[in-house]
């Protein structure tokens, strides 16, 4: 079962529920941010996009103190599969499950559009359905997606193959010209060292059916569903 955490200000929680329940045909349940635990049947956690607590102070800063985050952290430390999408990624950075920080976009504007990202690491529970270097058409919608980390952190991310997605053009070429927010190394998504926690700024839940303009995000959720079954069998 997928657990989808809901914070005050979340606005992509029902999108994630729709994908899991109605597109993949898997079980899903909502988890309120004030809960201190969740059902033992939950095998994967989704921290959805939105504006948790109105993004006061900075994106994700207040959400890290929600009671549910302790349970999510313990779940991740036990090897549970956790994905943070957009605001969820920002929360994962704030609570320390992923390294680095988010800065305002380089042009200081909210960006909402389709972009292309390349899959740099297919050896994760989230990307094992993709091909190495595959280019995905996927939307972004954020004002703080400019990923930053100290040089030593970037070196570790690179050495450990933790950079999973990078902004690119439709042919897979990575350059400053196709970097929508100024993120270091065009980073659009990273994992923790063990690979069971993923943070990504693009919204895979918004591109799971062709009628939406792309279905490239569906394979990510299919990979999660398959990986969590393998993990507990």
């Amino acid at each position: 079962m997928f657990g989808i955490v809901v914070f005050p200000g979340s606005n992509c929680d029902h999108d994630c529920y729709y994908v899991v329940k109605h597109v993949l045909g898997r079980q899903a349940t909502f988890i309120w941010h004030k809960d201190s635990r969740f059902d033992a049947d939950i095998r994967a956690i989704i921290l959805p996009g939105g504006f948790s607590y109105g993004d006061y102070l900075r994106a994700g800063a207040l959400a890290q103190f929600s009671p549910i985050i302790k349970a999510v952290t313990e779940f991740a430390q036990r090897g549970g599969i956790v994905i943070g999408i957009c605001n969820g990624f920002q929360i994962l950075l704030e609570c320390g499950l992923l390294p680095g920080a988010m800065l305002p976009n380089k042009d200081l504007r909210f960006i909402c559009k389709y972009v292309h990202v390349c899959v740099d690491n297919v050896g994760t529970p989230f990307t094992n359905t993709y091909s190495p270097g595959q280019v995905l058409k996927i939307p972004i919608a954020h004002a703080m997606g400019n990923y930053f980390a100290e040089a030593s952190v970037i070196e570790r991310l690179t050495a450990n193959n933790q950079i999973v997605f990078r902004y690119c053009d439709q042919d897979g070429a990575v350059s400053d010209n196709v970097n929508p927010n100024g993120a270091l190394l065009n980073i659009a998504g990273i994992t923790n060292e063990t690979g069971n926690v993923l943070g990504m700024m693009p919204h895979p839940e918004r591109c799971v059916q062709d009628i939406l303009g792309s279905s490239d995000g569906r394979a990510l959720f299919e990979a999660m569903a398959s990986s969590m079954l393998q993990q507990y069998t």
Side-chain angles (χ1 to χ4, degrees):
M1 181 187 295
F2 285 76
I4 302 164
V5 179
V6 182
F7 300 93
S10 294
N11 64 14
C12 298
D13 43 342
H14 283 271
D15 301 70
C16 293
Y17 184 91
Y18 174 81
V19 173
V20 174
K21 183 72 174 180
H22 300 291
V23 178
L24 269 61
R26 306 283 182 171
Q27 289 184 305
T29 187
F30 293 114
I31 305 170
W32 187 231
H33 73 113
K34 287 188 175 181
D35 293 341
S36 58
R37 64 186 67 182
F38 46 81
D39 196 287
D41 291 337
I42 290 175
R43 302 296 189 231
I45 292 289
I46 300 174
L47 301 180
F51 304 90
S52 58
Y53 295 92
D55 277 351
Y56 289 116
L57 299 183
R58 62 181 177 273
L62 296 181
Q64 66 172 312
F65 300 112
S66 292
I68 197 60
I69 291 300
K70 181 179 179 181
V72 171
T73 299
E74 293 173 349
F75 177 77
Q77 291 172 343
R78 295 194 303 268
I81 296 172
V82 177
I83 183 172
I85 302 169
C86 197
N87 190 231
F89 186 6
Q90 295 161 342
I91 294 169
L92 290 175
L93 294 172
E94 291 288 340
C95 73
L97 280 174
L98 291 175
M102 284 296 172
L103 303 178
N105 295 342
K106 61 183 179 181
D107 59 3
L108 303 181
R109 294 181 179 179
F110 182 86
I111 306 171
C112 183
K113 64 178 183 178
Y114 265 99
V115 297
H116 292 94
V117 300
C118 56
V119 184
D120 277 7
N121 182 356
V122 297
T124 79
F126 314 92
T127 56
N128 55 36
T129 48
Y130 295 115
S131 302
Q134 184 173 344
V135 177
L136 312 180
K137 181 184 177 184
I138 187 166
I140 57 172
H142 57 253
M144 291 185 66
N146 184 352
Y147 180 79
F148 176 82
E150 295 181 355
S152 59
V153 174
I154 295 296
E155 290 176 3
R156 288 199 303 273
L157 291 176
T158 303
N160 296 331
N161 204 21
Q162 292 173 242
I163 301 174
V164 178
F165 298 112
R166 290 198 295 160
Y167 300 108
C168 64
D169 65 18
Q170 61 183 1
D171 297 316
V174 176
S175 69
D176 289 340
N177 293 333
V178 292
N179 187 335
N181 49 41
L184 288 178
L185 299 185
N186 285 46
I187 289 174
I190 62 171
T191 65
N192 61 345
E193 290 188 4
T194 51
N196 63 301
V197 178
L198 169 69
M200 60 185 299
M201 289 309 298
H203 285 268
E205 79 283 5
R206 297 186 182 181
C207 58
V208 297
Q209 295 170 306
D210 290 334
I211 195 172
L212 301 175
S214 171
S215 58
D216 289 348
R218 177 171 179 162
L220 182 144
F221 292 98
E222 291 175 337
M224 289 180 65
S226 176
S227 296
M228 72 186 195
L229 287 175
Q230 295 174 13
Q231 188 177 30
Y232 290 92
T233 56

